[in-house]
């Protein structure tokens, strides 16, 4: 998703409960894979001057069958790896 000059790579996860740690949702291996894919996309689309970030959208299914969204902006960065 792109807003103004920032490109966000968003990992969407669905869970039936909130009883987990963020590190269990997007593991270090998954972060590395997302960063690699993002770098490939940025290079292939010649977006080297674009600001980018990695977000996580967690969708929880509640007992009443409704959903709750938790959005974590800047969940991790390429320099974290």
């Amino acid at each position: 998703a792109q807003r103004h000059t920032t490109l966000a790579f968003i990992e969407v996860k669905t869970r039936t409960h909130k009883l987990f740690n963020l590190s269990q949702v997007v593991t270090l291996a998954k972060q590395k894979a997302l960063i690699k894919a993002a770098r490939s996309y940025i290079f292939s689309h010649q977006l080297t001057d674009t600001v980018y970030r990695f977000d996580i959208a967690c969708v929880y299914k509640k007992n009443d069958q409704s959903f709750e969204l938790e959005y974590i902006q800047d969940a991790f960065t390429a320099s974290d790896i």
Side-chain angles (χ1 to χ4, degrees):
Q2 187 166 359
R3 183 178 219 183
H4 306 292
T5 60
T6 302
L7 180 61
F9 294 92
I10 306 165
E11 177 72 5
V12 179
K13 294 291 187 179
T14 304
R15 296 287 185 268
T16 55
H17 54 78
K18 285 185 153 184
L19 303 175
F20 60 88
N21 185 313
L22 181 60
S23 64
Q24 295 171 315
V25 176
V26 181
T27 63
L28 185 58
K30 181 65 172 187
Q31 290 177 28
K32 287 179 180 180
L34 291 168
I35 290 166
K36 183 178 178 182
R39 287 182 174 153
S40 176
Y41 180 86
I42 289 165
F43 180 76
S44 68
H45 288 84
Q46 300 176 0
L47 301 172
T48 54
D49 293 332
T50 301
V51 175
Y52 64 95
R53 67 175 196 248
F54 297 93
D55 299 351
I56 300 173
C58 297
V59 181
Y60 306 104
K61 186 175 181 183
K62 297 164 76 175
N63 289 338
D64 65 359
Q65 302 304 310
S66 64
F67 293 91
E68 179 182 343
L69 173 68
E70 180 180 1
Y71 195 84
I72 305 163
Q73 187 172 309
D74 291 314
F76 61 91
T77 66
S79 61
D80 291 340
I81 306 301

